[in-house]
Amino acid sequence: MAIRTIVKFGEDILDKQCRPVEKFDEKLFELLEDMKETLTDANGAGLAAPQVGILRQICIVDVGEGPIELINPEIIHTQGEQNGAEGCLSNPGQYGLVKRPMQVTVKAQDRNGNWFEKTGEGLCARAFCHEIDHLHGILFTSKMSRLLTQEELETGEYTDD
Ligand code: NI
């Protein structure tokens, strides 16, 4: 296993559409293990393959309940709405106010190619949306209403306008 370098905002690879995974092999397992190690090391809630330079539809979400591996994921159902702070490991220190659904159901393949569905709420729903956006070259900065100030981040108090 190895910690991989996280690509930063401004690099072209983050704007690109990722291709579906077709081979569920050792190379994929190695990438997944490296991504999990990289995510843990960076203390983030999610990481997408293009953030480590790989243009494939692979992401990991971990909101404190253990890592969820999502391969070729798509959102099949959403419910409700939340408006809150969102950041990205590719854009350290900056957080924006982003509207997302409160509940999100994804359909994805596991590392062996088996399809499954998973429903997340709150932070998990937000992370599903954020990471799946990455696989289509979409960054949170294109969806935020505004950046949060340092003071708003420190106090946790902000109006959701
Ligand atoms: Ni991100």
Side-chain angles (χ1 to χ4, degrees), residues 12-142:
D12 291 347
I13 194 164
L14 293 179
D15 302 326
K16 294 196 160 60
Q17 172 71 32
C18 294
R19 296 185 303 278
V21 171
E22 285 159 3
K23 282 190 208 157
F24 297 81
D25 57 7
E26 279 296 330
K27 205 176 158 198
L28 173 66
F29 302 163
E30 191 183 321
L31 173 62
L32 287 165
E33 294 307 318
D34 285 359
M35 284 176 65
K36 281 194 279 191
E37 195 176 347
T38 305
L39 178 60
T40 302
D41 178 66
N43 198 26
L47 185 69
Q51 290 181 279
V52 292
I54 308 283
L55 280 173
R56 289 284 178 180
Q57 292 179 22
I58 302 162
C59 61
I60 298 192
V61 165
D62 189 347
V63 292
E65 293 158 8
I68 304 166
E69 299 175 358
L70 301 169
I71 296 158
N72 301 328
E74 56 178 305
I75 292 171
I76 56 170
H77 186 254
T78 67
Q79 200 178 313
E81 190 180 84
Q82 56 177 320
N83 197 18
E86 189 168 315
C88 182
L89 292 176
S90 293
N91 191 24
Q94 286 204 316
Y95 292 84
L97 200 53
V98 186
K99 261 188 198 143
R100 299 286 192 185
M102 185 51 88
Q103 191 185 82
V104 171
T105 302
V106 297
K107 181 183 164 199
Q109 282 169 286
D110 66 17
R111 59 166 63 198
N112 298 309
N114 300 310
W115 288 95
F116 65 98
E117 289 181 16
K118 181 98 182 161
T119 299
E121 294 195 30
L123 179 60
C124 186
R126 180 176 291 282
F128 281 161
C129 294
H130 179 108
E131 300 312 326
I132 291 172
D133 272 355
H134 269 300
L135 306 182
H136 304 287
I138 300 165
L139 301 174
F140 82 92
T141 41
S142 72

